[in-house]
Amino acid sequence: MSEADAATEKLRAELHGLGVTTAYDVGDGETLSVWIGLVVRYRDGFYRWQEGAVKRRHLGTDPDGCAMRVARRFKELQADIPLWWNDLARELRGDRVQSYP
């Protein structure tokens, strides 16, 4: 198991413990999709998470702290879905997405 695989798995376990059970590995071993438009990548010792155009990073030695930040933002996004979400959802899922986040 590579460093990125281990770090990604630790982060996913921490997110799951915080109630974010929808996060999944996109298949490259270093990227978790938390919600449409909210992804976390592990690279060069940092968790780098992106939400739309906003990019943030967190030390790779602190998966618990990163998970808390990402889980908090995930819950904020679900409570108040941003305007860009509908456009992104339609682009990625097609017109049938309707209002399902």
Side-chain angles (χ1 to χ4, degrees):
M1 181 178 275
S2 73
E3 177 186 0
D5 289 333
T8 301
E9 189 55 40
K10 286 179 189 175
L11 179 62
R12 185 168 34 170
E14 293 292 338
L15 285 168
H16 195 272
L18 294 170
V20 181
T21 59
T22 58
Y24 63 93
D25 186 331
V26 299
D28 63 3
E30 62 186 41
T31 307
L32 285 179
S33 178
V34 179
W35 197 50
I36 195 165
L38 178 60
V39 296
V40 183
R41 290 179 181 85
Y42 181 84
R43 190 178 72 218
D44 301 327
F46 286 94
Y47 290 107
R48 300 168 192 274
W49 54 288
Q50 181 173 344
E51 167 211 327
V54 177
K55 296 180 181 181
R56 305 187 193 294
R57 70 181 194 170
H58 195 91
L59 283 174
T61 56
D62 184 21
D64 182 46
C66 182
M68 288 186 336
R69 290 177 69 195
V70 171
R72 181 175 41 235
R73 186 61 187 142
F74 171 75
K75 289 174 184 171
E76 290 171 356
L77 285 169
Q78 287 197 319
D80 187 22
I81 298 172
L83 297 175
W84 56 261
W85 189 89
N86 286 328
D87 294 334
L88 180 61
R90 277 193 189 85
E91 182 178 321
L92 295 175
R93 294 181 176 169
D95 289 331
R96 293 184 291 160
V97 70
Q98 296 177 2
S99 63
Y100 178 74

